[in-house]
Amino acid sequence: MDGSLNVIALISGGKDSFFSILHCLRHGYQVVALGNLYPSAKADDEHDLNSFMYQTVGHTVIPLYEKVLGIPLYRQPIVGTATQTGTTYNHGDATDETESLLPLLKKIKEHHPEANAISTGAILSTYQRTRIESVALRLKLTPLSYLWQYPTLLPATQISLLQDMQSVGLDARIIKVASGGLDESFLWENVASEGAMRRVEKAMRRFGTDGDGAVLGEGGEFETLVVDGPSVLFKGRIKVRVEDRKVVREGGGSAWLRFLGAQIEMKEPGDACELEIRAPELLETRFQILLSQANDHITPETLQEATDPSAKPTSLGSFVPEKLLSQNENNTLYWTVFAKNSESGRATIIDEAKEVISEINSHLHRSSLKPSSITSTIIILRSMQDFSSVNQVYGSLFTEPNPPSRVTISCGDTMPKGVNMLIYLKVHRSFATLTPKKTLHVQSRSYWAPANIGPYSQATSVPLPSSDSQGSNIWAVSAAGQIPLVPATMLLPTPASPSDSVAPLLGDFKYQTVLALQHLWRIGTETQVTWWTSVVAYLPRSSVIPAQERARIAGEAWSTIHHSSTAADVDDDEEVDLWEEKYYAAMGHMGTEKRQHELPHWGIVTSHDGANKRNAPPYFAVEVEELPREADIEWHAHLGIAGAPVVVHSTTRPGWSIHVCTFGALMEVVVKISYAESTYSTRRKEALESILPNAENHVYLSYIDSEICKSEGETDWKGVVPCRSIWDGDSRLSAVLLLDVR
């Protein structure tokens, strides 16, 4: 258990901030201070401030928490208003109310220099989370949001969070109602009690808002004040007499309690007991089953995109839609960047990294683009020991929120001579007719998926031109590489006890494989991905388990997860931040239920020949030198598709196979070339010519066996990932080529 964090707990008086504190205690962290923002003296006490960021109703009771919890409390008035109303936050505007956090936290750090983390109760609100993360990271505080996406985790019910609060004895009284389903009779009910939570659930369901966080008050339906909780945190309880509670009615069904007085009742010293609080299971049911089936034998016919070798070979040129071939506006660029003059006697890896970043800036300048145009990168290092130094320089490229997604691997001495780092970049050129890109950038620890611990995002989604007359939105999603970190601690899973047998190590690898795959799935689901075009599993060289065996296990996991359930048809409603809904009801999504997008969504996938084969997207594994954090595996999905039907097609010839995925006006092609050093060039040429006459120009990423690189005398290294070995299940490959045809 990691007990190294000293936490500043932001509290509003509401249930979520206190329940988040309990989860901090569960992880062995020490809460050194409480922080609260309250309405300025100018605010009218007869009206709730209705801040975008902060709960302010009940603020007169907040000072009592210092004695009730026995933790120092620091307060600061709220200054300014919400000048930035989007989910993304850029801290350049000092008048935004978010910046009120800065002097508060600086003051706390002056009194508690040991503080290195901050806790918040954000559940579904990207608006709140991104703003707290912005301030926290500027002050070098680790953001903790253990309730983030909590209702989507096991048991995956909206009310489960309230039930967990009930189980630890949290007493959270409703002190404001602002929903047509709730009236004054709900005021001062304990929402963490069986009766009240069922009343709220029934009321929300009656008004059609059950399932979107309304049961938790995420859309501002109600707000709470915690008056008691488990003795491990609460040394006393808050008492408010009936005569000290005044109902204030604001119209439109909104009402809240104004407190004329409150008292503290201290508990007996012996009342404290050990905290027992449930945390969501690390693996959700679907992936627990996947792990349990890891030892089951899966025949080659069930692996990924197996095709019939006896099928008549076809030229994929005839399969390329005319719309693709006539597409002139290619809004995606692929750049390969490394330091030139690689043997010029530079002193350190930092100097080399600075040269690379300078070269990227030059590329951007020549193309009249900004760093925000970069949607994804692949960083290849000679040594993973250089990662920290490179990361620092790389981060200087991105001065605005939401950096691109990123994959990082080390390829050791298979790298070009004198080159210690390569960066492959995908760059998006926006057109006026296209919607701006979207980014998933979660920097807080939670139970959901690993936080971004560097200058990258979990995923970046860019709009693509549609091939239909409606011009409907199609999104191409670039997800970051996923390693098997435990989200709550950001550490690798605890390995099995050392043993002379390979069995425990094999079990560790299977667990890491499934956990990292779950991370990829959660990111895909959150970004509404319904299909991946292809995937690669990076495997480190240093393992007693043969690369071929690890490749087989990962391949079976990839195949099985695509056939573990039958996807139902779902509506592609745009997911809207619930906090935004509170203030922008005109957006037209108020009361709509949050949809869980199925991945994979077989209902949108068809084969070119009309057959319903249900083959998983192309999979392969490559052996590299090392991965971040010494992980056993890193999953890299090359592209996710959201908002478009998919047509897939495969063909196999002796020595190579081609797998095509078409969506909208884009075609992604994967070419697999069987292992044979002497015939590699011939097979590559034959495979590419079967697609298009100029197919070589569309290759943007090439995974090539290092022996092939040496024998072929690879010189330009354009999009080349040098691999110690490449595997398609049990079969070894010479290379895998990825093409982007528009």
Side-chain angles (χ1 to χ4, degrees), residues 42-80:
K42 299 178 182 178
D44 183 355
D45 199 36
E46 287 297 322
H47 293 86
D48 181 19
L49 187 61
N50 282 317
S51 164
F52 272 46
M53 267 290 290
Y54 314 111
Q55 173 180 316
T56 56
V57 62
H59 68 88
T60 57
V61 178
I62 299 297
L64 302 183
Y65 287 121
E66 182 167 34
K67 184 175 181 181
V68 169
L69 273 61
I71 301 172
L73 170 69
Y74 299 85
R75 307 188 76 200
Q76 191 86 15
I78 299 170
V79 177

Side-chain angles (χ1 to χ4, degrees), residues 379-691:
I379 299 179
I380 304 179
L381 303 175
R382 180 175 294 273
S383 172
M384 196 57 71
Q385 300 300 314
D386 295 331
F387 185 32
S388 178
S389 298
V390 169
N391 203 37
Q392 182 179 357
V393 179
Y394 174 82
S396 68
L397 181 61
F398 306 103
T399 58
E400 297 181 5
N402 301 330
S405 60
R406 185 180 73 185
V407 172
T408 304
I409 58 175
S410 162
C411 287
D413 58 13
T414 64
M415 295 275 286
K417 183 179 179 181
V419 174
N420 297 303
M421 65 176 294
L422 289 159
I423 300 185
Y424 301 141
L425 304 98
K426 181 186 289 187
V427 183
H428 178 66
R429 296 191 296 191
S430 297
F431 296 101
T433 56
L434 295 178
T435 308
K437 71 174 183 179
K438 300 186 293 187
T439 306
L440 177 63
H441 191 209
V442 181
Q443 301 175 87
S444 300
R445 291 191 191 181
S446 68
Y447 295 112
W448 173 68
N452 296 321
I453 53 177
Y456 68 95
S457 296
Q458 276 98 348
T460 302
S461 305
V462 297
L464 296 175
S466 173
S467 61
D468 60 35
S469 57
Q470 279 77 35
S472 54
N473 281 339
I474 300 173
W475 296 90
V477 182
S478 298
Q482 294 302 308
I483 62 174
L485 296 176
V486 176
T489 63
M490 294 300 291
L491 301 173
L492 290 172
T494 303
S497 301
S499 171
D500 294 334
S501 171
V502 175
L505 298 176
L506 197 59
D508 291 341
F509 175 75
K510 291 175 181 178
Y511 193 88
Q512 289 200 24
T513 296
V514 172
L515 179 58
L517 191 57
Q518 177 178 270
H519 298 335
L520 178 63
W521 242 245
R522 286 182 173 175
I523 289 167
T525 302
E526 184 67 18
T527 53
Q528 303 182 10
V529 169
T530 51
W531 189 255
W532 302 112
T533 58
S534 58
V535 74
V536 57
Y538 298 108
L539 307 173
R541 178 188 186 188
S542 58
S543 175
V544 298
I545 307 170
Q548 182 178 5
E549 175 65 10
R550 288 178 285 152
R552 182 192 64 78
I553 292 170
E556 290 181 355
W558 179 253
S559 176
T560 303
I561 199 61
H562 279 84
H563 299 90
S564 60
S565 63
T566 301
D569 291 335
V570 295
D571 296 332
D572 293 328
D573 297 343
E574 181 183 357
E575 186 176 336
V576 176
D577 187 277
L578 290 167
W579 207 252
E580 285 185 339
E581 288 188 352
K582 175 178 179 180
Y583 298 100
Y584 297 108
M587 294 174 72
H589 292 276
M590 192 65 172
T592 60
E593 182 175 346
K594 178 180 177 180
R595 300 290 183 182
Q596 188 78 0
H597 289 258
E598 192 73 22
L599 176 61
H601 187 343
W602 290 106
I604 56 97
V605 181
T606 57
S607 298
H608 177 52
D609 58 6
N612 185 22
K613 294 181 180 179
R614 294 210 167 188
N615 295 317
Y619 155 85
F620 60 99
V622 301
E623 186 183 15
V624 296
E625 185 68 21
E626 192 176 0
L627 300 177
R629 302 290 195 92
E630 299 183 346
D632 284 346
I633 190 170
E634 179 175 3
W635 287 101
H636 174 196
H638 294 111
L639 202 63
I641 304 168
V646 173
V647 179
V648 295
H649 179 64
S650 297
T651 190
T652 299
R653 293 285 297 272
W656 54 264
S657 63
I658 296 177
H659 314 274
V660 181
C661 177
T662 305
F663 53 101
L666 175 65
M667 183 171 75
E668 286 279 313
V669 184
V670 177
V671 179
K672 296 181 177 181
I673 303 174
S674 301
Y675 189 81
E677 188 175 325
S678 60
T679 59
Y680 166 73
S681 295
T682 302
R683 290 177 173 180
R684 174 177 177 134
K685 181 179 179 181
E686 181 182 301
L688 291 177
E689 287 181 349
S690 74
I691 303 172

Side-chain angles (χ1 to χ4, degrees), residues 205-414:
R205 186 180 296 118
R206 187 169 65 250
F207 277 77
T209 55
D210 180 43
D212 64 357
V215 172
L216 306 174
E218 272 294 278
E221 294 81 5
F222 65 88
E223 293 179 7
T224 60
L225 181 76
V226 173
V227 296
D228 198 5
S231 299
V232 68
L233 178 61
F234 288 80
K235 315 308 178 190
R237 57 180 64 88
I238 296 173
K239 296 284 189 178
V240 183
R241 300 176 302 179
V242 175
E243 55 267 31
D244 288 332
R245 304 195 297 263
K246 176 184 177 182
V247 178
V248 179
R249 301 173 182 86
E250 291 191 336
S254 177
W256 54 279
L257 292 176
R258 179 186 176 206
F259 299 107
L260 305 179
Q263 299 79 40
I264 297 175
E265 179 183 285
M266 297 304 295
K267 300 178 181 179
E268 294 295 327
D271 288 349
C273 58
E274 185 176 346
L275 177 65
E276 294 185 8
I277 183 170
R278 186 191 76 87
E281 294 284 346
L282 184 55
L283 293 178
E284 58 190 63
T285 303
R286 184 179 184 183
F287 289 88
Q288 290 178 8
I289 295 172
L290 177 61
L291 181 63
S292 69
Q293 294 176 341
N295 291 319
D296 293 348
H297 177 67
I298 298 181
T299 63
E301 288 73 21
T302 64
L303 278 174
Q304 74 279 336
E305 67 295 337
T307 55
D308 183 3
S310 63
K312 182 180 179 181
T314 59
S315 169
L316 292 184
S318 63
F319 174 65
V320 180
E322 182 180 348
K323 182 74 175 180
L324 292 176
L325 296 177
S326 62
Q327 188 72 38
N328 294 320
E329 285 190 337
N330 188 345
N331 60 333
T332 301
L333 303 173
Y334 297 97
W335 295 341
T336 297
V337 182
F338 56 93
K340 307 300 190 237
N341 303 315
S342 57
E343 297 183 64
S344 60
R346 73 176 65 84
T348 66
I349 185 65
I350 292 179
D351 295 329
E352 185 172 349
K354 287 179 178 178
E355 288 185 41
V356 172
I357 298 306
S358 177
E359 183 68 20
I360 292 173
N361 277 318
S362 296
H363 276 283
L364 292 169
H365 179 73
R366 288 193 295 268
S367 303
S368 300
L369 297 171
K370 298 180 180 180
S372 58
S373 300
I374 303 171
T375 58
S376 66
T377 66
I378 300 176
I379 299 179
I380 304 179
L381 303 175
R382 180 175 294 273
S383 172
M384 196 57 71
Q385 300 300 314
D386 295 331
F387 185 32
S388 178
S389 298
V390 169
N391 203 37
Q392 182 179 357
V393 179
Y394 174 82
S396 68
L397 181 61
F398 306 103
T399 58
E400 297 181 5
N402 301 330
S405 60
R406 185 180 73 185
V407 172
T408 304
I409 58 175
S410 162
C411 287
D413 58 13
T414 64

